[in-house]
Amino acid sequence: MRVMAADKGVKLDYLDPLASWVPEWQPDDMDDAMRTYLERSPNEFFQIAEALGVETIHAIGTFPEERYTVDFLTERYAALCDRAAESGLRCTLEAIPHWGLRSLETVWQIVKDANRPNSGIVFDNWHYLRHSRNDALLRQIPPGVITTVQLADGPAELPPGRSLIDDCVYHRQPIGEGEMPIEEIVTLLREAGHLASVGPEIFSSELDTLSSNAILNRILPGLEALNLFP
C-alpha cells in the first residue's frame, strides 16, 4: 500500500478510525459490515499505523451515549496519546453525533484536559452541523488544536424518516450541491486559524456507483470554489 501511494506521489498521513480505545466500544446500532470495519484492537491498529508509516492515528467514540464519564474518557485518551508517542505518532479525536462522543464541546474538553503535546481534534462540518453548532467555541479553541478539517454537504436539516447514521454513511453530498453553510463555516475556521489540513469526506451511496474520475469531477468544483488556500 505504501508503494501504491508513493507511485501516485501520495504520502499516507493518518489512519482512521480507532474505536477500541475504550473497553466497551460497540454501539447499539452497529451492523455486521460496520463491526468488521471497526473491530480491531489498539495493538493491531498501531501495527497497521507503523507498517503504513503514517504520522497520526484518529480515534472516535462509537460507544452508546452516557456509557462513560468525561473523566474516564480523558484518562483513556491520555493513555492512548502516550502509547502513540512511543511510536512517534500523533492522536486526533472526533465528535460523531449518532454515537457516544457526540459534541465538539466534549471532544475539546477531553483533549484540553488530557493535555498531551501529540494530541489534536478532527473537525467534520457535517457532524458539527448535525449536532450542536457552536461557533463561539470554534473561535475559542487555540490554533493548532484542530489538525484536520473534513468537509461534506447535505440538507440543512435531517430529512424526515432518515436516521443520523444513514444520513452520515449514505447521503452526504459534494460541496455546493446541498444546503449546509459550508462557506460560512470555512470562513470561520480560516479566521480562527484551523485550516492546516482540509479535504472532503463524502460518504455517499450515489458516489459509490461512480468511477474515481467521475467522483473527482463531482467534488472538485465545490472544493475549488471555497478558495481554501488563497
Side-chain angles (χ1 to χ4, degrees):
M1 292 180 69
R2 287 201 314 269
V3 170
M4 290 170 63
D7 285 347
K8 299 295 183 181
V10 172
K11 169 69 170 66
L12 301 176
D13 286 333
Y14 71 92
L15 184 62
D16 168 24
L18 174 62
S20 60
W21 56 285
V22 293
E24 299 178 29
W25 60 269
Q26 296 192 13
D28 296 333
D29 58 357
M30 177 179 287
D31 59 23
D32 289 340
M34 188 167 293
R35 182 176 292 104
T36 300
Y37 175 59
L38 295 174
E39 198 160 26
R40 64 186 63 86
S41 71
N43 283 339
E44 291 171 326
F45 195 86
F46 276 110
Q47 288 174 358
I48 296 168
E50 291 163 1
L52 291 177
V54 301
E55 298 175 355
T56 302
I57 62 169
H58 179 181
I60 59 175
T62 55
F63 44 86
E65 189 178 19
E66 300 182 356
R67 173 67 59 82
Y68 299 112
T69 66
V70 173
D71 286 345
F72 177 83
L73 294 173
T74 301
E75 179 183 330
R76 297 290 298 205
Y77 180 69
L80 180 67
C81 291
D82 292 343
R83 168 61 183 87
E86 295 175 7
S87 299
L89 296 168
R90 292 181 56 84
C91 281
T92 54
L93 195 61
E94 180 182 13
I96 300 179
H98 47 269
W99 285 325
L101 195 54
R102 300 191 171 199
S103 70
L104 179 64
E105 290 89 341
T106 303
V107 165
W108 168 228
Q109 182 178 347
I110 292 169
V111 169
K112 179 176 61 175
D113 292 348
N115 193 27
R116 293 304 193 266
N118 63 329
S119 173
I121 293 173
V122 171
F123 175 89
D124 184 304
N125 79 282
W126 188 96
H127 297 318
Y128 178 69
L129 294 170
R130 279 289 185 260
H131 187 266
S132 55
R133 180 174 177 175
N134 186 342
D135 292 353
L137 176 65
L138 270 183
R139 295 186 181 96
Q140 292 168 12
I141 295 174
V145 173
I146 293 178
T147 60
T148 302
V149 172
Q150 299 173 335
L151 299 175
D153 214 334
E157 303 292 336
L158 182 67
R162 183 185 296 174
S163 69
L164 266 176
I165 191 167
D166 282 350
D167 197 40
C168 172
V169 175
Y170 301 115
H171 298 288
R172 299 198 207 189
Q173 296 174 279
I175 295 143
E177 295 188 12
E179 302 165 342
M180 289 183 167
I182 296 178
E183 185 173 353
E184 184 179 325
I185 296 296
V186 166
T187 298
L188 190 161
L189 291 167
R190 180 183 291 115
E191 292 173 348
H194 297 321
L195 286 185
S197 175
V198 190
E201 185 180 75
I202 306 169
F203 293 102
S204 164
S205 56
E206 179 188 359
L207 293 187
D208 285 347
T209 66
L210 304 179
S211 69
S212 58
N213 284 337
I215 292 172
L216 180 63
N217 291 335
R218 281 283 298 277
I219 68 175
L220 193 57
L223 282 172
E224 290 180 331
L226 291 173
N227 193 26
L228 291 169
F229 300 103

